[in-house]
Amino acid sequence: MDESTELPSSAPLSASPVPAQSGVANDPLAPRQVASAADARRIVESRGLTHVKVGLFDNDGIMRGKYMSREKFFSALDHGFAFCDVVLGWDVQDQLYDNARYTGWHTGYPDAPVRILPETCREVPFENGMLLFLAEFSGAAEAVCPRALLRRVIERCEQAGFVPYGALEYEFFMFEETPDSARAKGFRNLKPFTPGWFGYSMIRNSVHADLYHEILELAERMDFPIEGLHTETGPGVLEAAITVDKVAAAADKAALFKTFIKILAERRGLMATFMAKWSNDWPGQSGHIHLSLRHRDGNRSAFFDGGQPHCMSETQRQFLAGQQRLMPELLAMVAPTINSYRRMIPGFWAPTDATWGVENRTAALRVIPGSDKSQRQEYRLGAADANPYLALAVALGSGLYGIEQQWQPGPPVAGNAYADTQPEALALPRTLWDAAQRLKQSEAARDLFGDAFVEHFAASREWEEREFRRHISDWELQRYFEII
């Protein structure tokens, strides 16, 4: 079911504890204690590593990277390194955009500068002490780099006096398939890891406890700890709620979670997919986002006001209004694939309009009343296929824009949001192409994210739509071949 009942903790919304374990006994510090270039050098030297892993995330949230020699890595800590900017100019199948301004054949696909982020150091558990460091583009490429984009939105939020916290929860399907077997079957008649409808199954998580334990251990060791893990309703589908953290760290954790769940599955002879909707027969897969703000001065919740209805402060109402009003304009960044729009149909737990409600899972935005420590809201439009950096940039940036503009939300939905008639202004685009056009036309998007990013990302979504239209589907052949 495209629903979550496993919520982020009601504990204080502060950074989650980092794992203390280290893969090497004589480490001067654990990987998640690395905070500087000097620390990074110390831990690499103490492990005697000749190479480390360095990775970054592209437009679609796919991790790209390589092994880097120790000498080159040490130099890059101080001076950065060069990475071909084609990873910002191709799609999920490594096909080159023909409509992007930032990079393309017209630029020759040059190298772009990249900075290493020492504080992102993690151990890769199944590589004998190997360390992984995240990086992000700098220089001109920074304008279109997803991680850098989120960082700029966070800085704008902090300048307004707030510290943002977030957590993501993902549904993903597991199959008894390999990349080769799935392709040999044409991605049809795939065998799910478990059969049938069986949400929250204690039987399944006990029978397959070894897999669950591996997922939980991986998450702890790589510092994207999981607060809740259970079967969802559908064959082979699991849901994981990642522990709350500051938004920048929450994005890294979500992006690493998606990457390494796939890696863990394939190492076990399985496959995991985060497609928004892989089958007409089963519900879609969500990537819900929980957000809250705390005041930088005093560390008080900016959302909680016990004297107001549903404990919603004026700041939370304005934040909610920004998310609601801008959702149709920014949808392409949250629903970034053709497949995203297969999920957004009535009755399948995915919103179709920019609605909000209090503890209402049929609405696009769900207000969750609580205390100073737990008052928050859930951006339920998010799907599992979204780039976590961009999804969080939208959810946070649009709310912040509402605070800046002092907007007020429309009336909440009571009951079934699918049956509630909404103003046309709250209707969400129904196709990726339409969503890309709304993004290009959005003044708020250009204000929040910059012209360069909006133009580049909208072009990449237009490319995705055109690639789709070049192909003939099975449905078209079955419907028209004989009869028309």
Side-chain angles (χ1 to χ4, degrees), residues 1-5 171 173 197 200 232-234 237 239 283-286 288 348-349:
M1 189 186 314
D2 197 6
E3 173 194 20
S4 169
T5 53
E171 294 165 352
F173 278 82
W197 303 81
Y200 302 102
E232 256 294 358
T233 181
V237 60
E239 178 173 321
Q285 301 185 89
S286 68
H288 298 156
F348 274 90
W349 300 99

Side-chain angles (χ1 to χ4, degrees), residues 332-455:
M333 294 170 62
V334 181
T337 72
I338 296 293
N339 186 248
S340 302
Y341 298 81
R342 307 291 193 228
R343 168 179 170 264
M344 295 162 57
I345 56 177
F348 274 90
W349 300 99
T352 54
D353 297 295
T355 54
W356 75 277
V358 179
E359 284 289 13
N360 188 334
R361 286 189 171 87
T362 70
L365 298 164
R366 170 178 166 236
V367 172
I368 305 173
S371 65
D372 176 84
K373 296 179 180 179
S374 62
Q375 181 87 11
R376 63 193 185 278
Q377 58 203 51
E378 180 185 18
Y379 200 94
R380 289 186 56 78
L381 182 66
D385 62 347
N387 181 331
Y389 297 101
L390 300 186
L392 277 163
V394 166
L396 176 61
S398 59
L400 180 62
Y401 200 82
I403 294 173
E404 293 171 349
Q405 303 299 317
Q406 299 184 332
W407 287 342
Q408 288 295 316
V413 169
N416 185 1
Y418 302 116
D420 198 312
T421 302
Q422 296 297 319
E424 185 176 349
L426 297 182
L428 299 176
R430 297 299 187 236
T431 69
L432 181 58
W433 182 271
D434 291 341
Q437 306 318 301
R438 291 292 300 273
L439 180 65
K440 285 200 298 187
Q441 297 162 10
S442 172
E443 294 182 4
R446 293 177 181 275
D447 183 355
L448 287 165
F449 310 132
D451 290 334
F453 175 82
V454 170
E455 293 290 340

Side-chain angles (χ1 to χ4, degrees), residues 189-204:
N189 301 313
L190 303 178
K191 183 181 180 182
F193 179 60
T194 55
W197 303 81
F198 205 173
Y200 302 102
S201 170
M202 192 62 73
I203 293 174
R204 293 274 162 81

Side-chain angles (χ1 to χ4, degrees), residues 230-292:
H230 61 86
T231 64
E232 256 294 358
T233 181
V237 60
L238 304 180
E239 178 173 321
I242 304 170
T243 302
V244 67
D245 208 332
K246 291 182 179 179
V247 162
D252 287 341
K253 292 178 179 184
L256 287 166
F257 171 83
K258 291 179 65 176
T259 302
F260 279 88
I261 285 295
K262 284 180 166 289
I263 292 169
L264 174 62
E266 289 196 28
R267 288 175 62 86
R268 278 179 140 261
L270 304 171
M271 287 189 75
T273 184
F274 289 83
M275 282 183 67
K277 192 172 176 68
W278 72 272
S279 169
N280 291 330
D281 299 325
W282 307 103
Q285 301 185 89
S286 68
H288 298 156
I289 303 168
H290 291 252
L291 280 175
S292 66

